[in-house]
Amino acid sequence: MTDYKQEQEMEIEALEAILMDEFKEIHSSESGLSTSNRCFQITLSPQDEEADESTNPSVQLALIFSHTEKYPDEPPLLTVKSLKGIQTGDLKGLKEKLEQEASENLGMAMVYTLVTSAKDWLSEKFAQDDGTENAEEDSAEKDDIIVPHGEPVTVETFMAWRDRFEAELALERAKLMPDSALAAPKEKKLSGRQWFESGRAASKSVAPAAESSDEDDEDIDFDDDDFEDDEDDMLEHYLAEKSDSSAHSSRRGN
């Protein structure tokens, strides 16, 4: 057999521990309930106002209840009244809401559930003005894009940033490019044979050879690969020249 009295006493002790100053016992004549049983009043404020104890709440609600003989297998007697700033029509709607929830929670201690529901109702009902202001502030903040240092981005500042970014990007690309891609085109390289023949031509003209400088030597650029490819041709050319020279000397001797 269920010991209803014991369950009710345990719930009252729990509510006192949780709600503390918000919870108190009142005389049945003050409750507005048709009962001679013990009656209790819980003072409630909207959630956001309750968080700041120094704030004088703009609205306050009293949730009043009394256990029935077979509570929690039957709903408690309850009512609500305004302590500050709540209209009678709003109280009627809240009471109907709490009675509906009580019928849905039969079989379990439900008063704290009803308290939570009443607080949520207060927050939704009486924080609408603050919510509207917050929504307007959020909308205004979205109009300005905020950079990490808190500077609003305008069209002008964005364009200036983009120009700097593109310049820095071009500089980085230039650093990554090989030097040969940035240098002016070099003179066409001489093959081994061309280098050899240019040397012969220079040897036949004493004056130009005497006037040549280190800078001229530096300007002559040849490809080692081409030189190796033409090595045999150079040897043949040299031997042919030497043979022609010997034959010419022999004819002069005769």
Side-chain angles (χ1 to χ4, degrees):
M1 182 176 179
T2 303
D3 189 343
Y4 295 112
K5 287 292 183 182
Q6 183 179 5
E7 289 192 20
Q8 294 167 12
E9 289 295 332
M10 290 175 61
E11 182 180 38
I12 291 171
E13 290 178 5
L15 291 171
E16 287 177 332
I18 296 171
L19 300 173
M20 297 183 290
D21 293 341
E22 296 175 352
F23 183 89
K24 69 178 182 178
E25 183 172 359
I26 61 175
H27 194 274
S28 59
S29 61
E30 302 176 63
S31 67
L33 301 175
S34 298
T35 182
S36 58
N37 294 337
R38 297 175 68 189
C39 297
F40 303 90
Q41 175 177 303
I42 301 172
T43 302
L44 303 176
S45 301
Q47 295 280 10
D48 53 349
E49 292 185 347
E50 182 188 35
D52 186 357
E53 295 180 357
S54 63
T55 301
N56 185 23
S58 58
V59 294
Q60 271 191 325
L61 170 74
L63 189 157
I64 301 169
F65 75 94
S66 177
H67 290 135
T68 56
E69 184 179 351
K70 294 183 178 180
Y71 175 89
D73 286 341
E74 60 185 19
L77 298 175
L78 62 87
T79 189
V80 290
K81 70 177 182 179
S82 173
L83 297 179
K84 185 177 182 180
I86 305 176
Q87 300 297 322
T88 303
D90 293 331
L91 291 173
K92 181 180 179 181
L94 174 59
K95 183 179 179 181
E96 292 175 353
K97 171 183 171 65
L98 296 179
E99 288 175 343
Q100 177 63 31
E101 290 189 11
S103 64
E104 294 173 356
N105 287 274
L106 293 177
M108 57 186 294
M110 67 184 76
V111 173
Y112 190 74
T113 299
L114 302 180
V115 168
T116 301
S117 181
K119 282 186 176 182
D120 291 342
W121 178 86
L122 279 173
S123 298
E124 294 173 2
K125 185 72 176 177
F126 297 98
Q128 288 180 354
D129 293 340
D130 293 339
T132 301
E133 292 177 1
N134 292 335
E136 292 176 354
E137 291 177 1
D138 292 342
S139 177
E141 290 177 356
K142 290 178 181 178
D143 291 339
D144 291 331
I145 301 173
I146 304 302
V147 296
H149 297 291
E151 178 185 354
V153 175
T154 63
V155 174
E156 291 77 10
T157 57
F158 173 78
M159 294 298 291
W161 170 84
R162 188 185 68 175
D163 291 342
R164 290 197 303 272
F165 175 77
E166 291 179 349
E168 292 173 0
L169 184 61
L171 180 60
E172 291 299 323
R173 287 177 177 171
K175 290 179 180 179
L176 295 176
M177 292 177 65
D179 293 340
S180 59
L182 299 175
K186 294 183 178 180
E187 296 181 2
K188 184 178 180 181
K189 295 182 179 181
L190 299 176
S191 66
R193 171 172 292 198
Q194 290 171 332
W195 177 83
F196 180 80
E197 291 179 348
S198 67
R200 285 182 65 251
S203 65
K204 291 181 181 180
S205 178
V206 177
E211 295 175 359
S212 65
S213 64
D214 293 341
E215 293 179 358
D216 294 333
D217 294 338
E218 290 178 356
D219 290 338
I220 300 176
D221 190 5
F222 59 91
D223 193 322
D224 291 341
D225 293 335
D226 291 340
F227 184 84
E228 292 175 359
D229 292 341
D230 293 342
E231 188 176 3
D232 292 337
D233 292 341
M234 288 188 340
L235 180 58
E236 292 177 3
H237 184 79
Y238 174 76
L239 293 176
E241 290 290 331
K242 187 173 182 64
S243 176
D244 291 343
S245 178
S246 297
H248 181 68
S249 299
S250 177
R251 286 196 299 271
R252 293 178 61 184
N254 292 333

